[in-house]
Amino acid sequence: MRFKSIIATAMMMPAVALAWPWSTDMMNQPSIKPQEGRMLDFPARSIPVGGIPTTVADREASKGMSNPIEASSESISKGRTLFKIYCAACHGMTGGADSPVSGKIGAIALNDSYVQENLTEGWLWGTITFGSYVMPAYGVPQGKRGSNDLNVEERWHVVNYIKNGLVKDHAATTTAAAK
Ligand code: HEC
């Protein structure tokens, strides 16, 4: 009778039923769990899956690189998406240096002539890859300042967006805001 009432209570309160010590037996193993501990550095000479390796040593060396990816509408659109994820927090949704932190950290406007006319595509790619003075890197292995979040092609898509889509996007947002 007593046993039956325990079962009945457990059925009414599934959260309690799952809290028995044996409910988590399978989880508590010596294996490493997701997010546990420090992620190991990439082995030397690793390259992204399905990607091409970064072959230049620093931003200076990337200055004269030519962009291997055509600025097609598909590439620009991929670049726009990546830009919103990785760059907009500091540089603004359309690169106008108008995000809440832009001014605080000194993120520059990417739609002005300094970036659009003076900086080469290779330099932009190098800036994304190796970072700048304050800006973090997006293409270096762990252990250096920044991350390895964007593969070589993705960095060129962002460059294509900066040079071929960002100015128009920014103008559209400012006209919309003025209305
Ligand atoms: C954490 C904030 C932050 C993020 C995120 C960020 N930037 Fe920057 N970026 C800056 C700051 C600050 C500067 C100006 C100071 C410097 O050069 O470090 C800058 C400078 C630049 C420059 C000018 C470099 C030069 O030679 O003067 C370019 C181009 C640029 N960023 C592009 C990007 C792109 C593209 C992304 C996304 C992949 C990005 N930034 C993400 C903060 C950021």
Side-chain angles (χ1 to χ4, degrees), residues 75-160:
S75 166
I76 295 170
S77 140
K78 280 184 189 161
R80 180 185 288 111
T81 305
L82 294 169
F83 185 90
K84 287 185 179 155
I85 297 170
Y86 293 101
C87 323
C90 292
H91 288 282
M93 279 311 263
T94 53
D98 47 8
S99 87
V101 300
S102 295
K104 294 193 172 68
I105 58 159
I108 63 164
L110 302 176
N111 59 324
D112 70 8
S113 61
Y114 164 65
V115 173
Q116 293 297 325
E117 285 150 38
N118 297 8
L119 303 185
T120 62
E121 297 201 348
W123 182 264
L124 293 180
W125 184 89
T127 301
I128 303 170
T129 304
F130 301 103
S132 188
Y133 303 101
V134 178
M135 182 175 146
Y138 291 89
V140 293
Q142 292 181 357
K144 295 191 187 162
R145 186 176 61 91
S147 70
N148 202 22
D149 288 347
L150 297 174
N151 70 27
V152 171
E153 291 90 338
E154 287 171 330
R155 282 174 256 149
W156 284 119
H157 291 319
V158 175
V159 171
N160 281 340

Side-chain angles (χ1 to χ4, degrees), residues 27-59:
M27 192 184 89
N28 295 326
Q29 301 174 28
S31 56
I32 296 173
K33 297 177 184 60
Q35 313 294 329
E36 190 181 54
R38 194 176 81 85
M39 207 176 132
L40 296 178
D41 287 348
F42 296 105
R45 302 182 65 226
S46 302
I47 59 166
V49 175
I52 48 176
T54 301
T55 50
V56 289
D58 53 29
R59 183 160 61 152

Side-chain angles (χ1 to χ4, degrees), residues 59-82:
R59 183 160 61 152
E60 201 54 51
S62 56
K63 203 171 178 173
M65 283 174 87
S66 56
N67 186 343
I69 296 183
E70 192 204 336
S72 61
S73 56
E74 196 196 343
S75 166
I76 295 170
S77 140
K78 280 184 189 161
R80 180 185 288 111
T81 305
L82 294 169

